[in-house]
Amino acid sequence: MLEAVSLGCVRGERRLFSNTGFSVAKGQLLRITGANGSGKTSLLRILCGLLTPSDGKVLWNTRPIGEQREDYHRALTYVGHLNGLKDDMTPHENLAVASTLAGCPAGRSARRDALAGFGLAHCADLPVRHLSQGQRRRVALARLALQNPSGIWILDEPFTALDAEAVANLSRIIAAHAAAGGIVIFTTHMEVTIAAANIVLVNLGQQADRA
Amino acid sequence: MIRAFVCVARRDLALALRRKSDVANTLVFFVIVTSLFPLGVGPERSLLHAMAPGILWVAALLASMLSLARIFEPDFADGTLEQLALGVEPLSVLVIGKIGAHWLLTGLPLTLISPILALQFDLQPLAILALCGGLLAGTAALSLIGAVGAALTLGLRGGGVLAALLVLPLYIPVLIFGAGAVGAVESGLGAQPHLLLLGAFFLTSLASAPWATATAIRIALD
Amino acid sequence: MTTRDSDTYYSGNASPSAAKHRIHWFHYASPQTFYPLAGRLIPWFAALAVLLGAAGMYVGFLVAPTDAQQGDAYRIIFLHVPAAWMSMFLYVVMAFWAGVGLVFNTRLSAMLATAIAPTGAMFTFLALWTGSLWGKPTWGTWWVWDARLTSELILLFLYFGFMALQAAIDDPRRADRAGAVLALVGVINVPIIYFSVIWWNTLHQGASISMKSAPTMAMTMLLGMLLMALCFWMYSIATILARVRCILLERERHTDWCMTELRGTP
C-alpha cells in the first residue's frame, strides 16, 4: 500500500500543489490529472523518491520510502518523461542493464519476450538511435514486463508517441498488472479506456498559483 | 552489489568503445599540450628538463578534467541517470563503477602514453617510472574528485567551465605530489614519500568522493 | 497563498514531540523572527567594528614602535594578519553552516553560508593585496610563491568556486544544497592543500622567502592585531547579517510577513 500524506511541492517560486493526500492499495490504479504545469510530473517524482517534497511524506507499507530505499526501489518501476535509453545500445542491451540495476537480471529469452510483447521483435538488435520515437517509448515500457510482478509502476505520460494499437496493448498490460495485485500510478492527457475494476482519480487542479 | 557495479562499468566502457574518438581526443589533447610548452619557452634542453614534471602533470590534469563532462552529462540528458538513482544498489556504488570506467578510459591511457612524452623531455628511466606510478594513482584521484565537480554542475549553463573552476583548486595536492615525485628522482632523492602521499590522497578521495558525488547527483535530479 | 512558519523544508517529517522541542531551539532560526532581530543587532556590531577599528588603527599606527629592520612598512601587518585569519576562519564557518543546512534542511543556515562567502572572499583578497604591498618594500617584488601566500590564493579560488556554483543555479534550494556539498568537500581539502603547499615550498628552497621572517612581536603589536581582528570580526557579523536580510527578503518576498515588511509598517 502506497500512501501520500499531505504532500506539498514548491518549485522555484511557484507552489505547485499543497496538502495532496491519497492512498493506493494493491490491485488499484491511480490516475493523476491536472492542467499543464499543475505538478503531475513533480508528484510522480516525489512518489519515486527522486524529488523531496516541500511538505508531507510518502509511505509504503506504512513506512517512509526514504527509510527503505532498497526494498522500495526493488518494487518500483518508473518510466519517466525521458525514456532512459542509451542511443548507442540496442534495445536488448538497454533492457539487460535496466533489469540488472532493478535487481532482477533478465536472461536473453526473457528480454526477447518482453520486447516481442511490445511489438519490437524485429528491431531488438538495432541501436536505439535508429528507432522512431514511438518505438523508443515501447523499449522503455518493455522494462515493465521484466520486473517485479506485483510491484509499483509509476508511468509519466506512458501513451505519448504510441500508435493506436500500442495504446490498446499498453492499456491491457496495465489492467492485467492491477488485476495481478500490482499498483499502477500514471498520468495521461489522452482519453484511454483501461478495463480495470478499481481506478482512483487525483486531480491537481488548475495551473498553480504562486507560492 | 558487485553485479550492478560491474554492469554499470561495463556499460560505460562499451558505450565509450562505440565512440572511440572521445577517448582518442583526450590523448591527442595531452600530446598537443605537452608539445606546446617547448614552443612557448624555447628549446633549451636543461630548462625543458627542469620543467618536464610540471608540464606533463599539468597537461595530464587538464586532459583528465576536459573529459569530465562525459561521466554524467549524457546520462543526465537521456534519463539513464535517474534510472541509476532508482536502482536497487546504493547510488554511491554505481558512481564508483562509472568513475572506474572514466579512469580506465582517460587516466590509464594517459599513464600508458606518458613515457613516450617523457622521453621528449629527456627524463631518466627512474623518473619515468615515478611519473607512471604517480599518474596511475594520481589520475584515479583526479577522476574521483572531478566526478564531484561534474555532478555538481549537471545541467547548468556553462557547466564545463564551471566544473573546471570547482575542481582545479582541489587538484593541487595531486599536482604537487605527482610532479614532486618525478622532480625528486631527477634531483637524486627517492620518489617514495611523494608516491605514498599520492596513494594516501587517492584513498581519501575514494572514501569521500563517491558519497559527495552521489549526493550531488540526487541534488541535481531533485 | 500560504506562509510557511516552520524552519525546515519538510516540516511534515518531524514527530510532534520533536516539533514541540524544536520550536524553542529553532525559534530564532525562523526567518520572520530572525529578520527583525538581525536588523536590531546590525547597528551594534557596526558600531563595535568602528570603535575597535579606530582603537586598532591608533595602536597600530601611533603607539606601536617602528621596526628596526623594516621601518614603518611593516605596519601593514595590522591589516594583513587579521585579514588572513578571518579569511580562513570564515571558510570554516561557511562550511559549517552549509553542512548544517544540508543535514537538517534548515533554510536560514544555508542562507548564512551564502552570505558569508563574499565577505570571506573579500578578506582573502585583502590579505593577498596587503601581502603583496608588504612584499614590495620588504622583498623587492610584488609576489613571491611563499607557502602562505600561495595557499591564500588557492583559498580565494575556493571561495570563487562556491560563489560561481551558487550563481549558476537558478533554483535556490538546489543552489544551497550543491554549494553545501562543495563547501564540505572544500573544507576537507583545505588542510590537505595547505600542507601540500608547505611541503612543495620547503622542497623548492631556492626561492623561499618565508613570512616567518616577520619581526618578533612586541606586546603593543600583538594588541594592535588583536583589536583589528576583533574589528574585522564585528564587521563580518554586521555585513553578513545585512546580507542574510537581503537574501531573506528576496527569497521570501511572496510570503505575508515579507509583504508587510516591504510595504513598511505604519
Side-chain angles (χ1 to χ4, degrees):
Chain A
M1 169 127 122
L2 189 69
E3 285 172 273
V5 184
S6 55
L7 289 179
C9 179
V10 178
R11 300 300 281 168
E13 285 177 1
R14 292 195 316 141
R15 172 163 285 273
L16 295 178
F17 50 83
S18 53
N19 214 7
T20 301
F22 50 81
S23 68
V24 205
K26 283 190 189 307
Q28 275 188 320
L29 293 178
L30 175 73
R31 180 175 168 190
I32 295 163
T33 56
N36 289 341
S38 61
K40 296 190 293 290
T41 295
S42 297
L43 178 56
L44 292 186
R45 291 174 72 85
I46 287 173
L47 293 177
C48 289
L50 284 173
L51 212 75
T52 325
S54 317
D55 318 278
K57 53 192 164 180
V58 180
L59 304 177
W60 186 56
N61 295 337
T62 70
R63 277 172 60 208
I65 53 171
E67 292 173 12
Q68 42 175 347
R69 204 190 283 278
E70 189 181 332
D71 289 340
Y72 185 63
H73 284 176
R74 202 178 287 281
L76 175 74
T77 309
Y78 172 62
V79 179
H81 183 65
L82 297 166
N83 287 326
L85 301 174
K86 279 288 161 200
D87 276 356
D88 285 341
M89 300 201 306
T90 66
H92 251 304
E93 292 167 322
N94 270 299
L95 281 190
V97 172
S99 61
T100 308
L101 289 177
C104 47
R108 192 166 173 86
S109 63
R111 281 180 270 145
R112 194 173 50 227
D113 292 347
L115 288 168
F118 282 84
L120 292 164
H122 60 290
C123 51
D125 289 309
L126 285 175
V128 167
R129 108 179 83 87
H130 296 312
L131 304 187
S132 74
Q133 284 303 326
Q135 285 171 321
R136 289 175 197 209
R137 196 67 185 152
R138 282 188 272 163
V139 178
L141 290 164
R143 288 196 282 125
L144 297 174
L146 290 176
Q147 283 157 29
N148 199 327
S150 63
I152 304 167
W153 292 358
I154 296 185
L155 313 175
D156 194 352
E157 296 288 349
F159 299 103
T160 308
L162 297 185
D163 56 27
E165 193 189 331
V167 168
N169 183 29
L170 180 60
S171 311
R172 267 199 309 278
I173 290 170
I174 289 177
H177 182 65
I183 291 175
V184 184
I185 300 172
F186 67 103
T187 61
T188 176
H189 60 265
M190 292 162 70
E191 275 318 312
V192 182
T193 43
I194 297 177
N198 209 338
I199 299 193
V200 187
L201 281 180
V202 169
N203 190 353
L204 290 178
Q206 291 306 301
Q207 187 140 10
D209 51 346
R210 310 197 80 161
Chain B
M1 192 180 282
I2 301 288
R3 184 179 237 162
F5 169 84
V6 172
C7 169
V8 168
R10 273 182 55 187
R11 188 202 72 162
D12 276 22
L13 289 175
L15 283 171
L17 293 179
R18 282 171 206 188
R19 298 217 176 255
K20 291 189 192 66
S21 62
D22 283 358
V23 181
N25 287 349
T26 309
L27 287 178
V28 174
F29 175 86
F30 182 47
V31 175
I32 291 182
V33 168
T34 49
S35 321
L36 285 181
F37 275 90
L39 296 172
V41 301
E44 196 194 327
R45 257 182 67 183
S46 61
L47 179 66
L48 286 175
H49 184 85
M51 286 177 66
I55 293 172
L56 290 168
W57 261 96
V58 169
L61 189 143
L62 292 177
S64 160
M65 187 199 75
L66 275 184
S67 59
L68 283 180
R70 275 215 314 266
I71 307 189
F72 300 119
E73 198 69 52
D75 288 5
F76 183 70
D78 64 21
T80 39
L81 195 60
E82 65 189 19
Q83 294 297 339
L84 287 186
L86 290 174
V88 173
E89 305 305 337
L91 184 55
S92 44
V93 173
L94 305 179
V95 159
I96 300 179
K98 286 185 72 67
I99 297 173
H102 178 260
W103 178 76
L104 286 173
L105 293 164
T106 57
L108 190 60
L110 288 178
T111 308
L112 293 177
I113 204 176
S114 63
I116 303 171
L117 299 175
L119 286 177
Q120 288 187 313
F121 289 93
D122 196 23
L123 289 184
Q124 46 166 296
L126 266 181
I128 295 180
L129 203 64
L131 176 72
C132 289
L135 279 173
L136 209 60
T139 49
L142 295 183
S143 292
L144 283 161
I145 300 168
V148 182
L152 281 172
T153 53
L154 272 178
L156 300 182
R157 279 167 280 116
V161 180
L162 185 58
L165 194 66
L166 303 186
V167 300
L168 281 179
L170 304 176
Y171 279 178
I172 287 166
V174 177
L175 174 65
I176 289 176
F177 298 130
V182 187
V185 174
E186 284 287 313
S187 60
L189 301 164
Q192 203 186 11
H194 288 90
L195 293 179
L196 287 177
L197 280 167
L198 210 51
F201 190 76
F202 162 65
L203 290 178
T204 316
S205 324
L206 186 62
S208 57
W211 171 84
T213 310
T215 310
I217 289 175
R218 289 199 190 281
I219 292 170
L221 289 171
D222 197 330
Chain C
M1 180 122 10
T2 44
T3 309
R4 286 186 300 146
D5 294 347
S6 67
D7 52 293
T8 58
Y9 282 121
Y10 31 37
S11 54
N13 275 356
S15 67
S17 64
K20 209 179 281 173
H21 177 68
R22 269 197 340 205
I23 285 166
H24 283 292
W25 189 249
F26 282 118
H27 178 62
Y28 289 106
S30 144
Q32 75 220 67
T33 328
F34 179 84
Y35 184 86
L37 176 76
R40 280 200 302 278
L41 288 176
I42 289 171
W44 292 98
F45 284 112
L48 275 173
V50 172
L51 288 176
L52 287 164
M57 294 278 190
Y58 174 74
V59 173
F61 284 96
L62 299 174
V63 179
T66 304
D67 186 74
Q69 292 161 12
Q70 303 185 26
D72 282 324
Y74 89 95
R75 290 185 196 274
I76 197 127
I77 61 163
F78 291 111
L79 288 178
H80 174 77
V81 174
W85 287 344
M86 281 313 283
S87 65
M88 288 180 258
F89 176 68
L90 283 177
Y91 194 86
V92 177
V93 175
M94 179 182 87
F96 170 78
W97 283 117
V100 169
L102 186 66
V103 174
F104 298 106
N105 258 301
T106 43
R107 283 177 291 162
L108 196 60
S109 11
M111 290 183 215
L112 263 177
T114 309
I116 289 171
T119 305
M122 191 274 286
F123 277 120
T124 317
F125 183 73
L126 187 66
L128 284 172
W129 193 16
T130 50
S132 116
L133 282 180
W134 186 35
K136 188 61 184 168
T138 315
W139 302 323
T141 168
W142 293 111
W143 183 265
V144 289
W145 290 96
D146 165 75
R148 293 195 203 183
L149 273 180
T150 310
S151 30
E152 196 73 6
L153 183 66
I154 296 165
L155 186 65
L156 186 65
F157 295 158
L158 290 177
Y159 274 118
F160 281 162
F162 180 84
M163 291 193 286
L165 178 65
Q166 292 212 319
I169 304 177
D170 293 327
D171 177 36
R173 192 170 127 190
R174 183 180 168 192
D176 285 348
R177 299 171 70 203
V181 171
L182 182 68
L184 289 176
V185 171
V187 90
I188 298 173
N189 270 280
V190 161
I192 300 179
I193 294 174
Y194 183 69
F195 287 114
S196 56
V197 168
I198 289 184
W199 167 283
W200 159 79
N201 195 252
T202 47
L203 279 180
H204 301 261
Q205 274 295 339
S208 167
I209 309 165
S210 169
M211 289 245 186
K212 281 173 200 142
S213 63
T216 45
M217 214 132 4
M219 266 319 275
T220 42
M221 292 183 183
L222 190 64
L223 179 69
M225 270 200 253
L226 282 178
L227 282 172
M228 286 313 289
L230 283 173
C231 156
F232 284 176
W233 216 316
M234 296 303 131
Y235 165 83
S236 304
I237 297 176
T239 44
I240 289 164
L241 285 180
R243 206 173 283 124
V244 169
R245 270 163 63 95
C246 292
I247 298 173
L248 261 175
L249 276 192
E250 191 188 338
R251 293 219 191 152
E252 313 246 316
R253 63 181 175 275
H254 303 299
T255 59
D256 295 336
W257 73 267
C258 268
M259 295 226 177
T260 328
E261 199 68 48
L262 287 172
R263 253 184 258 117
T265 37

